[in-house]
Every structure is written in structure tokens, then in C-alpha cells.
């Protein structure tokens, strides 16, 4: 087995340099941490994941969209290369995960449709469409009636749309459950507790303390989502610049369940000046999201958040008034100053970063899991994640 770096000091060493330790400790049991853990275990490493509520953070509140073309944003072309590569890997990743876990994850490829409800929105959609086409992305411009032919439940006044065929989605909670099962089958150890702090030998990270007890490994992967920017023990220059961005989200159920689904594909629109999306599952569930709020670590579900999302969903698809409102919840997206993740080695030996996925945790899961496992196993940083090193924030002139 190859390790990332070499343990510099004995912690009570065996022949390999480590006694009673694992090969990797992953801090964070959301989809990113579990995906990295699974990939590392598949490559023969012994892995421990530390999380007091595995799968219950942002992964629980997400919609599971895998829609890099619909979500492309001006100025984020570098991120697009990573999101497109990850979307390309998703069908294989989904099939492999379902096989490894014997658990379906609701992977669908029905596409996405962004719609405009008035002339201003239609101009903005036209500009987005031209931007997508200038980047060589497959997107089709539709009239309002073409949108309604595809999705008859859309409001009659829809002015126009952009269709992206083949964009994907997974059921976020089924995917988390599948990752937990796949990790268990691959003998990943799960410690259901919060990491108190990072442990060091000299300048080298050698694991974490949990309930006062050490969990040691030559490599620690920081994948703690919105909490990654505040893990105790790491000096300020090493902590990734990650902050929480609250997202409230609704889960509705169609009256007929999976029969007579209201929508076939993800639908995006702007209502009251805010972006909203509806993500229909095969079961008849419709996920409606999502607010974007700078509220620190607050996860309160608010009347205003629920009102805004219900108004947006009802304005776009009036037939949702027949649905059951099953759940309103809130999660914390791990955001960085440039909205892109922080991946790969850190400034400290023994510490690898896999965080800051902001709105794209599910979308970026396959490429993150593959690439970060490669860093852990071989110490090599794959080409596709080189632009996402923490160095971009720490060198002179970096974004604040
Ligand atoms: N990717 C959708 C969201 O973060 O709301």
C-alpha cells in the first residue's frame, strides 16, 4: 500500500510507522466524506469516518440535481470543467454504487427545463442560452408553447425556456444511504461522534481527537462541509475559507404518488426575483428549493422561506396545490469565496481537503471521491482538480 507522505515520528510505531492506527481518517460523513472513504477503502486502505450525524447535514437537505449546464454561472467557467467531468462520471458511479450497496439511488436522466414567466426573464434566459452555447454546451431554446408541450403542468403564461436534455438527478437520501451501506461493506469504520480537534506530531497532522481519545492515521481528510472552516486545532492559514450558506427546501408528494407525475424533468424559474427549482422523483415526490441565505449556522425553517418556495412552486406549476406538503427543512451549504470547492493537499503534511462544494455536492461527488482518493493513495494530484487547490486563496492577490 502506498501512503500519502510518510509518518515523520513514532506514535508507538509498528514496522509501517503506525501502531493501532488507520490509513485514513475522514472528518465528515456527508456524501463527500463517504464517497472519499468508499473509494479509499476500495483501494485497500483502512478508513475511519468521524461524524456525529452521518448523512444528516447538507446531504440530507439537498435536491440531488446533477445539472451542470443549467447551473452554469457567468465567471465560473473553470468550475464548469469540473462539474461537466463529474456529470460525465455519474452514470458509471451510480451503477457501481447501486451494485456495491444493493440500494437503488433514483438516478434519472430526464433533463432540465429553465422557464421564463415574463419578458425580462425571457431576455435573461436568452442571454444565459447564448452563454451556454458560447461554451459549447448542449442547450435548446424553446417557445412557451414548446415548454408546455413538454411539461403540460407549467403555468399557461410561460414565455419561453431552455431545455438541457439528459441532465441527471439522484435521490439525495437514497444516495447517502447507499454510500453508508457501500462503506460498511468495504469495512469503513464509522465513529458517530464529533471530532473535537486535529492532532499533530510536530507540524504533521496525525488524525483527530474524539471524546478525548485519539483516532490516528497518516492521512486526515477534511470533508466536514460547512464546518470545515472551523475545525478546532487547525491554524487560520490552513483552515479552508468555508462558510455556511443556509438553504431551505420543501418536499411535496403528488396525490397519485408515482402515477400521473405532475412533472417529468427538473424545472427552474424565477419568481419574485428569486430563483426556484422543482425536482420530480419517480415516486411522485417533488423537491422544491431553495433559499440562499447568509445566516451563519442557523438552520431554522422560517415562515418566509416556506412561503417564498410555495409561492414560486405554485406560480410555476399551479397543480402543486393538490400535493401533500411532507417536509420543510434547512441545510448549510459549504461556500467558498469563489463558489468552487477546495480539493487536494493542504499546507500541512497529512491533511487533505475535500470541502467547499457549495451548491454542487451531489454533482461533484464522483470526481471528488475519485480524485481525493488518488491524492490519499499516491500523493499525486489529478489534473482535473489542480485548479481547485487551497493555494488559490493563500497566494498573494488571492480572492478574500
Ligand atoms: N444545487 C441547488 C442548491 O444548492 O440549492
Amino acid at each position: 500500500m502506498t501512503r500519502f507522505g510518510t509518518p515523520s515520528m513514532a506514535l508507538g510505531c509498528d514496522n509501517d510507522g503506525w501502531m493501532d492506527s488507520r490509513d485514513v481518517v475522514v472528518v465528515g460523513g456527508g456524501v463527500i466524506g463517504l464517497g472519499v472513504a468508499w473509494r479509499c477503502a476500495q483501494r485497500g486502505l483502512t478508513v475511519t469516518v468521524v461524524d456525529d450525524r452521518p448523512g444528516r447535514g447538507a446531504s440530507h437537505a439537498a435536491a440531488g440535481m446533477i445539472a451542470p449546464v443549467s447551473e452554469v454561472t457567468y465567471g465560473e467557467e473553470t468550475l464548469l470543467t469540473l462539474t461537466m467531468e463529474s456529470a460525465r462520471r455519474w452514470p458509471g458511479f451510480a451503477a457501481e454504487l447501486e451494485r456495491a450497496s444493493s440500494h437503488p439511488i433514483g438516478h434519472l436522466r430526464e433533463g432540465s427545463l429553465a422557464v421564463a414567466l415574463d419578458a425580462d426573464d425571457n431576455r435573461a434566459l436568452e442571454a444565459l442560452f447564448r452563454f451556454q452555447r458560447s461554451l459549447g454546451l448542449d442547450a435548446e431554446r424553446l417557445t412557451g408553447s414548446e415548454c408546455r408541450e413538454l411539461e403540460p403542468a407549467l403555468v399557461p403564461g410561460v414565455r419561453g425556456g431552455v431545455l438541457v436534455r439528459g441532465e441527471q438527478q439522484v435521490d439525495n437520501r437514497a444516495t447517502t444511504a447507499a454510500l453508508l451501506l457501500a462503506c460498511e461493506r468495504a469495512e469503513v469504520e464509522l465513529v458517530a461522534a464529533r471530532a473535537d480537534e486535529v492532532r499533530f506530531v510536530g507540524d504533521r497532522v496525525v488524525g483527530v481527537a474524539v471524546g478525548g481519545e485519539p483516532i490516528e492515521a497518516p492521512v486526515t481528510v477534511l470533508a466536514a462541509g460547512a464546518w470545515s472552516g472551523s475545525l478546532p486545532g487547525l491554524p487560520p492559514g490552513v483552515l479552508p475559507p468555508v462558510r455556511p450558506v443556509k438553504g431551505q427546501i420543501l418536499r411535496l408528494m403528488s396525490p397519485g404518488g408515482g402515477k400521473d407525475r405532475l412533472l417529468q424533468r427538473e424545472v427552474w424559474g424565477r419568481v419574485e426575483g428569486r430563483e426556484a427549482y422543482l425536482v420530480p422523483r419517480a415516486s411522485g415526490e417533488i423537491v422544491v428549493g431553495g433559499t440562499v441565505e447568509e445566516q451563519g449556522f442557523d438552520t431554522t425553517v422560517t415562515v418566509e422561506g416556506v412561503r417564498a418556495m410555495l409561492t414560486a412552486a405554485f406560480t410555476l406549476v399551479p397543480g402543486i396545490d393538490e400535493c401533500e406538503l411532507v417536509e420543510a427543512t434547512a441545510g448549510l451549504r459549504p461556500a467558498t469565496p469563489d463558489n468552487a470547492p477546495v480539493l487536494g493537499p493542504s499546507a500541512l503534511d497529512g491533511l487533505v481537503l475535500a470541502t467547499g462544494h457549495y451548491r454542487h455536492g451531489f454533482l461533484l461527488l464522483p470526481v471528488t471521491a475519485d480524485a481525493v482518493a488518488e491524492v490519499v493513495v499516491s500523493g499525486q494530484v489529478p489534473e482535473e482538480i489542480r485548479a481547485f487547490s487551497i493555494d488559490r486563496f493563500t497566494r498573494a492577490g488571492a480572492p478574500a
Side-chain angles (χ1 to χ4, degrees):
M1 178 191 65
T2 315
R3 284 184 168 145
F4 176 68
T6 337
S8 54
M9 289 183 67
L11 299 168
C13 295
D14 61 10
N15 291 342
D16 216 10
W18 300 85
M19 180 78 92
D20 294 333
S21 76
R22 313 285 289 175
D23 295 320
V24 194
V25 177
V26 179
V27 182
V31 285
I32 295 297
L34 294 173
V36 170
W38 180 43
R39 285 296 194 224
C40 287
Q42 284 178 312
R43 297 184 67 170
L45 304 189
T46 54
V47 186
T48 295
V49 173
V50 179
D51 194 313
D52 58 342
R53 297 172 70 233
R56 299 290 299 186
S59 305
H60 190 69
M65 282 180 290
I66 303 163
V69 179
S70 295
E71 293 205 72
V72 69
T73 303
Y74 301 104
E76 295 182 5
E77 290 84 347
T78 307
L79 178 58
L80 179 71
T81 59
L82 193 68
T83 56
M84 291 297 283
E85 175 56 23
S86 202
R88 191 187 67 74
R89 295 184 193 192
W90 249 109
F93 185 89
E96 188 185 347
L97 179 58
E98 288 186 338
R99 266 197 314 276
S101 62
S102 310
H103 193 80
I105 65 168
H107 180 242
L108 298 176
R109 309 181 70 168
E110 312 277 4
S112 344
L113 179 63
V115 297
L117 299 186
D118 61 31
D120 281 349
D121 280 352
N122 210 21
R123 272 192 291 278
L125 212 49
E126 176 67 22
L128 175 67
F129 170 70
R130 288 174 189 274
F131 178 58
Q132 289 165 329
R133 296 306 300 249
S134 75
L135 297 170
L137 302 171
D138 280 334
E140 294 166 45
R141 192 72 166 107
L142 303 187
T143 63
S145 52
E146 286 169 336
C147 292
R148 294 197 70 236
E149 271 166 40
L150 282 178
E151 294 290 357
L154 280 170
V155 67
V158 62
R159 297 288 287 260
V162 172
L163 172 68
V164 184
R165 295 184 194 272
E167 287 211 303
Q168 306 166 66
Q169 62 152 296
V170 288
D171 180 320
N172 56 311
R173 294 178 184 176
T175 302
T176 308
L179 280 167
L180 282 164
L181 285 165
C183 281
E184 191 182 331
R185 289 183 179 182
E187 299 186 1
V188 171
E189 178 190 39
L190 186 62
V191 174
R194 185 176 276 249
D196 306 328
E197 62 178 359
V198 173
R199 288 176 57 82
F200 289 87
V201 171
D203 287 341
R204 184 183 178 88
V205 173
V206 294
V208 291
V210 175
E213 295 295 317
I215 299 180
E216 290 173 343
V219 183
T220 300
V221 177
L222 178 53
W227 288 265
S228 302
S230 49
L231 184 63
L234 287 177
V238 173
L239 279 169
V242 172
R243 69 181 197 285
V245 174
K246 176 176 171 181
Q248 299 187 53
I249 202 158
L250 306 178
R251 286 183 150 72
L252 314 181
M253 182 53 81
S254 308
K259 291 197 262 336
D260 301 326
R261 285 164 59 192
L262 262 182
L263 295 172
Q264 303 308 311
R265 52 186 65 71
E266 298 158 22
V267 167
W268 296 76
R270 282 188 80 75
V271 176
E272 298 180 337
R274 281 186 284 208
E275 188 179 78
Y277 49 79
L278 293 91
V279 182
R281 310 272 197 234
S283 62
E285 182 181 68
I286 300 175
V287 180
V288 179
T291 67
V292 181
E293 304 170 62
E294 299 277 356
Q295 302 277 359
F297 284 93
D298 168 52
T299 51
T300 311
V301 174
T302 64
V303 171
E304 168 50 17
V306 173
R307 184 208 65 77
M309 288 185 285
L310 283 178
T311 300
F314 178 72
T315 305
L316 289 161
V317 181
I320 65 123
D321 63 350
E322 299 287 328
C323 292
E324 180 187 353
L325 173 54
V326 178
E327 184 188 303
T329 192
L332 299 171
R333 305 177 183 89
T336 65
D338 62 5
N339 297 337
V342 181
L343 305 172
S346 70
L348 292 176
D349 282 348
L351 181 70
V352 174
L353 304 171
T355 188
H357 291 74
Y358 188 38
R359 302 188 64 142
H360 303 308
F362 278 83
L363 170 53
L364 291 173
L365 166 59
V367 78
T368 301
D370 292 348
V372 172
E374 184 60 39
V375 173
V376 171
V377 170
S378 72
Q380 302 299 312
V381 180
E383 177 60 37
E384 60 271 19
I385 65 162
R386 289 207 183 134
F388 302 96
S389 154
I390 192 160
D391 293 352
R392 71 189 192 275
F393 296 117
T394 50
R395 59 180 175 249

